[in-house]
Amino acid sequence: MHLPSQPALTSLLNRQDLWLGEQAATQLTGLSTGFAELTQHLPYWPAHGVCELYSQGLGCGELGLLHPLMRALCTEQPLAPIMLIAPPALPNALGLALLQLPPERFIWLNISSAREALWAMEQALHSGSCSLVLGWFAHLSLKAARRLQLAAEEGNSLGFCVLPLSQAGNQHPLPLKLALQADSSAIRLSILKRRGGWPVSDIALPNIAVPIWRKMALAATASPAMFTAPRDHQTRQQTGVDVSLARLNAANDHAQHEAQDG
């Protein structure tokens, strides 16, 4: 019987998609998640690797959940950027500053192709030059998840893939999988998979949703026509920034009408 060499065994034990039976039930390394509600179940984010975050929709708390992490990373030395790949809404420098997140620390990649977004995230993770990499995807294959995890291991990087809630049933070999769902009182977090522990559901996290983004998502669902651009020549020439601002204004108008009617 051939036994693996010590270097090969050490390399295997250092993989982020494997955990040892004697490991503690909670992650004890990495940066704090920053929420008292998570102290018992998820006190720290993984030091590196790829995590999946399933969201019910835009503004459902994706960035609110990661806000303490991003604030901590923005104060670390040496300075390293936070990369946003294909986010569903236009990043706003003033909004970041109000959240005490220096806008100059962020890199925004406006990519419409899922293949190019995957390639960009893989390269960013592999390079190890970013303190955090966030990528938004409609779908992630098993092969793609493995590639991203391998890139994060090689680059000693941390990344999050934000996916629709409908994708939560996949079998991706990643160390951490989380789901966010909204109800009338709070955003509720479910830990679907974590290293060394059982799944946990229904953790209430109030005040982590981005209100205007949530209003945009709800308004788009209630009145799709408000968010459908007319098919004239002028609109076809409109830039992505103009379209995003137009949708934001539509959401504000819709919210104001609701407030007046209510």
Side-chain angles (χ1 to χ4, degrees):
M1 180 178 178
H2 177 71
L3 297 177
S5 64
Q6 185 60 39
L9 183 59
T10 301
S11 176
L12 182 64
L13 295 177
N14 286 334
R15 286 174 60 102
Q16 286 291 299
D17 55 353
L18 297 176
W19 63 276
L20 303 179
E22 67 269 18
Q23 284 178 323
T26 55
Q27 176 74 29
L28 298 178
T29 60
L31 289 171
S32 170
T33 53
F35 292 93
E37 297 86 348
L38 295 180
T39 300
Q40 179 181 355
H41 305 294
L42 189 66
Y44 298 97
W45 297 116
H48 61 277
V50 174
C51 310
E52 285 185 336
L53 178 57
Y54 308 102
S55 172
Q56 195 176 26
L58 181 66
C60 197
E62 313 93 313
L63 295 183
L65 177 65
L66 301 177
H67 178 240
L69 172 63
M70 292 189 290
R71 283 195 61 185
L73 292 173
C74 285
T75 62
E76 280 197 337
Q77 298 292 337
L79 300 179
I82 296 173
M83 182 172 288
L84 308 177
I85 301 176
L90 182 70
N92 182 278
L94 179 58
L96 292 173
L98 290 174
L99 293 172
Q100 299 182 13
L101 299 173
E104 64 273 13
R105 295 292 303 275
F106 287 79
I107 297 177
W108 169 43
L109 297 186
N110 185 18
I111 302 176
S112 58
S113 166
R115 183 176 180 180
E116 292 179 358
L118 175 63
W119 179 88
M121 186 166 187
E122 184 179 7
Q123 298 304 310
L125 291 170
H126 187 270
S127 71
S129 59
C130 296
S131 59
L132 180 65
V133 183
L134 305 180
W136 281 259
F137 301 92
H139 171 76
L140 198 64
S141 68
L142 176 61
K143 180 180 179 180
R146 285 174 172 167
R147 284 173 51 186
L148 293 178
Q149 178 64 21
L150 179 60
E153 290 174 1
E154 294 177 344
N156 196 32
S157 302
L158 177 61
F160 283 81
C161 293
V162 184
L163 295 160
L165 196 59
S166 59
Q167 298 293 310
N170 66 52
Q171 301 299 318
H172 297 166
L174 302 177
L176 183 63
K177 297 183 180 183
L178 308 171
L180 289 169
Q181 292 180 280
D183 62 21
S184 58
S185 60
I187 301 296
R188 300 195 176 275
L189 174 72
S190 294
I191 304 175
L192 305 180
K193 177 185 176 182
R194 55 176 171 154
R195 173 173 292 181
W198 296 103
V200 180
S201 60
D202 205 31
I203 303 173
L205 296 175
N207 303 320
I208 69 166
V210 180
I212 188 59
W213 287 8
R214 190 65 184 150
K215 287 180 182 178
M216 285 179 64
L218 295 175
T221 301
S223 305
M226 295 174 58
F227 292 81
T228 303
R231 298 179 179 275
D232 56 19
H233 176 75
Q234 181 178 2
T235 300
R236 286 196 299 269
Q237 298 299 318
Q238 200 174 20
T239 66
V241 172
D242 293 334
V243 172
S244 297
L245 291 175
R247 291 178 177 178
L248 183 59
N249 291 332
N252 284 330
D253 293 341
H254 181 78
Q256 290 175 0
H257 290 316
E258 282 189 338
Q260 293 172 358
D261 294 341

